[in-house]
Amino acid sequence: MDNKPEGKEREYEFTEITLRQIELSDVDDFMEWATDEKFSRFCIWDTCTSKDQALDYIKNNDIYHPWSRAICIKNKAIREISVMPNSGCHSCRAELGYELAHKYWGKGIVTRAVKMVATTIFSEWSNLERIEAFVDIDNKGSQRVLEKVGFLREGVLRKFMSINGKSRDMVIFSLLSTDVVQH
C-alpha cells in the first residue's frame, strides 16, 4: 500500500512530463482545454466549439508546424509548446510559444517544458542564437515562467498584437544560446 499523501502523489505526477509530436488522436484531449475561455483569453485564436474545429486546428497548425510538441502527463496531451524559426536575415532567432490547460496552471509544468526546450533547441538548430517570447502584459504567470528559466525581460511592445479583437501590449523576453538556463 502506498503511504504517500494524496497531494504529494499528485505533485510527483506533474513533475513527470514528456514532449512528443502532436497527433490527430489528441483531439479529445484538445477539446478539454480548447473550449475553456480561461485558457483562450491569452490566445490569438478563437475558443473551439466543436470537435471538427479542433481537428482542423490540429491539422492546419500543429501537425505541420516546424517544431511543435504536445506537453504530456502519462501521454495525455495537456497542450503544447512550439518554436517557430525566422528566415532570411532573421534566421538567427526563433519565437517560443506555449499553452497549457487551465486546470494545470501553477504546477510548474510549463516551466519544466520551457527548460526542456531551451536546453535542446540551440543544438538542434545550429544557426539559432536567440529565442524570443511575447507575453500579454496581463499574463503574469507566463512572465514568471520565462524569468524562472532564465529569459531576460527586454521591455514592453505597446499595442503589438491583437488578441480577441483587442490591441494588446506585449512583454518581450529573450534567451540567447550563450545564456544559462536556470535549473
Side-chain angles (χ1 to χ4, degrees):
M1 184 166 141
D2 190 357
N3 292 328
K4 287 184 205 171
E6 188 173 313
K8 286 288 185 196
E9 187 175 301
R10 290 194 53 84
E11 183 179 306
Y12 174 76
E13 176 184 334
F14 295 134
T15 64
E16 295 298 312
I17 67 163
T18 57
L19 304 179
R20 65 161 170 77
Q21 292 290 124
I22 297 168
E23 303 164 352
L24 287 177
S25 60
D26 291 324
V27 70
D28 291 328
D29 295 337
F30 184 103
M31 287 301 293
E32 279 185 39
W33 48 261
T35 57
D36 183 354
E37 301 257 345
K38 287 181 183 178
F39 166 81
S40 64
R41 72 181 171 150
F42 293 119
C43 297
I44 58 174
W45 47 274
D46 294 330
T47 303
C48 287
T49 56
S50 72
K51 196 169 184 173
D52 286 339
Q53 280 182 321
L55 281 169
D56 284 345
Y57 185 88
I58 292 170
K59 285 178 195 172
N60 297 321
N61 295 289
D62 291 335
I63 292 191
Y64 297 108
H65 192 284
W67 199 99
S68 182
R69 304 291 184 267
I71 300 171
C72 300
I73 295 176
K74 297 179 180 175
N75 208 38
K76 177 184 172 74
I78 58 174
R79 199 40 191 131
E80 77 172 309
I81 188 164
S82 64
V83 182
M84 176 62 83
N86 287 309
S87 59
C89 65
H90 301 282
S91 64
C92 64
R93 58 191 173 99
E95 184 177 337
L96 174 73
Y98 48 84
E99 302 158 341
L100 186 69
H102 175 255
K103 72 180 185 178
Y104 297 103
W105 290 359
K107 305 200 182 320
I109 295 167
V110 170
T111 302
R112 281 188 287 287
V114 171
K115 284 179 185 179
M116 291 167 75
V117 172
T119 57
T120 61
I121 197 69
F122 290 112
S123 61
E124 287 183 30
W125 294 351
S126 59
N127 65 319
L128 187 63
E129 295 180 47
R130 173 186 169 95
I131 302 172
E132 299 172 332
F134 300 91
V135 181
D136 188 288
I137 197 155
D138 291 332
N139 191 342
K140 303 297 184 196
S142 192
Q143 292 176 43
R144 280 191 303 277
V145 163
L146 295 168
E147 289 166 346
K148 286 180 192 176
V149 174
F151 278 70
L152 177 68
R153 179 186 170 120
E154 294 184 339
V156 175
L157 303 170
R158 299 179 306 152
K159 304 287 184 204
F160 185 75
M161 191 177 291
S162 179
I163 298 176
N164 297 320
K166 296 179 184 170
S167 293
R168 301 292 302 156
D169 294 347
M170 303 298 282
V171 182
I172 183 170
F173 288 85
S174 69
L175 183 76
L176 303 181
S177 60
T178 55
D179 291 342
V180 176
V181 174
Q182 302 298 315
H183 292 283

